[in-house]
Amino acid sequence: MTILDGKALSEELVDSVKDKAEKLSPTLAVILVGENPASMAYVRNKKKACERAGIEYIQHDFEATITQEDLLKKIDDINQDPNVNGLIVQLPLPDHIYVPDVIRSVDPSKDVDGFHAYNIGKMFLSPEFEDLPPATPLGIVKLLDHYDIPIRGKEVVVVGHSNIVGKPISMMMLNRDATVTTCHIHTKDLSAHTKRADILIVAVGKINLITADMVKDGVVVVDVGMNRNDDGKLCGDVDFENVSKKASYITPVPGGVGPMTVAALILNTVRATERQKASQ
Ligand code: NAP
């Protein structure tokens, strides 16, 4: 069994864009609303990765009470600012803010999270049109590619159908000629599907949802889940201790998909900057 080391690969990928970043001088703006501790930790990691890559990082902090109107105005200002190449609005947002309005208001050419309908829609065409794909799915694809794990013709089972992970990773696997099954809360017999998986990608947010009896020998497991157990320890959706005994490859949590998401954001920021400068 091989551990898919997202931490090491993410550092390699971030380092690999340093030369381009030096030439392009990209700037990433991050909007953080409120003081959600997980969000604060995520943006700290993004800042660190930007510093490592040589990308300028600007953070805009707002009180949780900011109105939607004021937030959209700030996003519009950043959209108009020619010195900013990438924009992330850290999710989740307070309940009084309607997230689809926020996602739609980000300029698609600066949408390095890859959440805008324009960027999601382009992904449906073919891998060549995955210009700014959602960061977590892009990170997963980079991880599988790095370890030379074949995707074409494989049974890929995705558990979770969120707009930011489950649906786009399903599409990216289909773009790479896998046979894809996407499961969710209404799936009748989850383990009947997971047992068939050559590659199992789990993005739900439930500790130990996937147990060893639900996978076949040799499966490749990508655990996207980020949960805290009763002791406050970070863990995924997969029972790592027992599933890893049957897996050929498996991501750890932490140190798997999390750092790859940050690396993908860096890749998207450089990509967005290149495309903007090329069209000037
Ligand atoms: P989400 O929007 O809450 O989506 C969860 C998905 O799981 C939904 O499709 C939900 O279906 C489905 N689901 C819920 N219970 C299920 C069950 N018992 N069996 C099968 N499917 C079930 O979450 P998300 O944003 O995709 O995130 C999922 C997890 O990944 C979370 O733990 C999150 O923290 C983590 N995450 C990690 C990273 C990273 O960089 N590592 C990035 C993003 C997310 P319904 O919608 O029908 O209820």
Side-chain angles (χ1 to χ4, degrees):
M1 184 273 299
T2 302
I3 299 275
L4 296 169
D5 187 345
K7 187 167 184 301
L9 177 58
S10 76
E11 288 173 359
E12 229 177 85
L13 288 173
V14 170
D15 287 346
S16 75
V17 300
K18 275 181 178 168
D19 287 349
K20 270 190 184 171
E22 203 179 335
K23 287 194 195 97
L24 295 163
S25 314
T27 296
L28 174 68
V30 173
I31 292 182
L32 178 65
V33 179
E35 293 182 354
N36 176 327
S39 295
M40 289 165 81
Y42 294 147
V43 300
R44 263 198 307 277
N45 289 339
K46 291 169 190 176
K47 181 173 186 233
K48 264 196 244 158
C50 281
E51 284 166 358
R52 186 173 178 129
I55 293 174
E56 187 169 339
Y57 175 95
I58 302 172
Q59 188 171 322
H60 302 272
D61 292 329
F62 296 101
E63 305 269 329
T65 51
I66 187 173
T67 63
Q68 176 159 327
E69 196 187 352
D70 286 348
L71 181 60
L72 294 184
K73 170 80 181 65
K74 184 69 205 174
I75 291 170
D76 192 43
D77 289 347
I78 297 173
N79 285 341
Q80 307 297 332
D81 184 346
N83 297 316
V84 176
N85 309 101
L87 168 58
I88 291 171
V89 182
Q90 184 65 44
L91 300 180
L93 291 167
D95 290 345
H96 66 278
I97 293 175
Y98 185 54
V99 174
D101 280 346
V102 171
I103 290 174
R104 149 170 15 141
S105 71
V106 174
D107 178 342
S109 73
K110 297 189 179 185
D111 169 41
V112 293
D113 256 337
F115 293 166
H116 194 287
Y118 176 79
N119 290 317
I120 296 275
K122 272 172 72 180
M123 273 186 21
F124 272 66
L125 303 176
S126 73
E128 290 73 37
F129 287 90
E130 292 170 0
D131 289 320
L132 292 178
T136 301
L138 175 61
I140 294 170
V141 169
K142 293 276 176 200
L143 194 57
L144 297 175
D145 285 351
H146 177 77
Y147 283 88
D148 289 326
I149 294 169
I151 298 172
R152 173 166 292 156
K154 298 296 176 189
E155 292 286 335
V156 174
V157 176
V158 177
V159 188
H161 65 167
S162 70
N163 287 341
I164 65 168
V165 188
K167 281 188 213 167
I169 191 62
S170 297
M171 186 50 58
M172 289 175 85
M173 291 290 114
L174 192 55
N175 276 345
R176 287 157 182 76
D177 301 322
T179 302
V180 183
T181 305
T182 309
C183 302
H184 45 78
I185 190 84
H186 300 293
T187 297
K188 280 191 190 134
D189 183 354
L190 182 61
S191 77
H193 297 284
T194 57
K195 273 181 193 155
R196 286 190 304 101
D198 299 315
I199 301 175
L200 177 63
I201 301 171
V202 191
V204 170
K206 287 208 169 87
I207 294 181
N208 289 340
L209 177 70
I210 305 297
T211 47
D213 57 313
M214 296 170 75
V215 300
K216 69 176 184 186
D217 284 326
V219 63
V220 175
V221 180
V222 176
D223 188 353
V224 184
M226 294 248 241
N227 312 292
R228 295 261 170 210
N229 70 10
D230 293 341
D231 303 329
K233 196 171 153 266
L234 197 61
C235 50
D237 292 345
V238 175
D239 171 6
F240 181 90
E241 192 188 331
N242 294 305
V243 172
S244 60
K245 291 177 186 149
K246 291 176 88 176
S248 54
Y249 294 88
I250 187 166
T251 56
V253 179
V257 176
M260 288 305 298
T261 298
V262 177
L265 275 173
I266 296 295
L267 298 180
N268 273 353
T269 303
V270 172
R271 188 87 194 260
T273 311
E274 267 178 326
R275 291 172 67 82
Q276 289 158 25
K277 301 219 163 164
S279 68
Q280 269 168 8

